[in-house]
Amino acid sequence: MNVEQLLSDKGREVISVQPHRTLAEAVRVLSERRIGAVVVMGADGALVGILSERDIIRALGAEGGAALESAVSRVMTAKVVTCRPQTSVDELMEIMTTGRFRHVPVIENGRVIGIVSIGDVVKHRVAAIEAESQAMRNYIAMA
């Protein structure tokens, strides 16, 4: 299985914020959408960063509540690790584990076409294990 199949299952909606928006605005988006990260897109639609709950917590820890008035661009992770639709789920898990992050934007032809979270990967793995288990039960029942 690859990232393309994960996106087919979960959808390709990408929630984004602009870099000049405040951290408070980004927090509202995360809260309303019940998500853990947003991609940060420039005016031209190009990926310029990613803002995760961890980024926000670090800013709050360093600056207190005043951090909420900071621009997203000050707090976001600018060096974004991405993947392609053809990336295997196993490779994606390795990327996430090595980088110690939970969200990876999916890039195709220079554009963000989706975002995959560790929850998406876990959901896939659980479904695969359940399917394998059911296949084994069916095999045993037929023997």
Side-chain angles (χ1 to χ4, degrees), residues 2 17 25 41 44 52 58 63 67 69 72-73 83 94 99 102 104 107 115 133 138 140:
N2 62 23
V17 297
E25 290 173 303
M41 307 284 261
D44 61 354
S52 71
R58 284 187 194 111
E63 301 174 34
E69 296 309 312
V72 166
S73 60
C83 67
E94 179 67 27
R102 301 174 300 177
V104 178
I107 304 293
I115 186 166
S133 174
N138 291 344
I140 292 168

Side-chain angles (χ1 to χ4, degrees), residues 16 31 37 80 92 108 129 134:
S16 65
S31 177
V80 183
L92 179 63
E108 185 172 58
I129 290 168
Q134 185 61 46

Side-chain angles (χ1 to χ4, degrees), residues 18-129:
Q18 296 170 319
H20 68 275
R21 297 291 182 195
T22 66
L23 207 52
E25 290 173 303
V27 166
R28 272 192 291 284
V29 171
L30 292 171
S31 177
E32 289 168 1
R33 299 299 227 136
R34 301 177 53 96
I35 55 177
V38 291
V39 293
V40 183
M41 307 284 261
D44 61 354
L47 177 67
V48 295
I50 189 165
L51 179 72
S52 71
E53 294 165 323
R54 287 180 184 174
D55 295 321
I56 295 164
I57 293 300
R58 284 187 194 111
L60 289 170
E63 301 174 34
L68 293 173
E69 296 309 312
S70 297
V72 166
S73 60
R74 278 198 53 233
V75 179
M76 71 183 189
T77 299
K79 197 171 187 180
V80 183
V81 175
T82 63
C83 67
R84 298 182 345 231
Q86 301 80 17
T87 303
S88 73
V89 171
D90 289 339
E91 186 180 349
L92 179 63
M93 287 190 312
E94 179 67 27
I95 290 168
M96 289 176 151
T97 301
T98 301
R100 298 180 52 96
F101 42 79
R102 301 174 300 177
H103 301 87
V104 178
V106 183
I107 304 293
E108 185 172 58
N109 299 321
R111 293 287 192 213
V112 178
I113 63 161
I115 186 166
V116 182
S117 73
I118 192 68
D120 301 325
V121 174
V122 169
K123 182 179 176 182
H124 156 72
R125 295 299 268 186
V126 168
I129 290 168

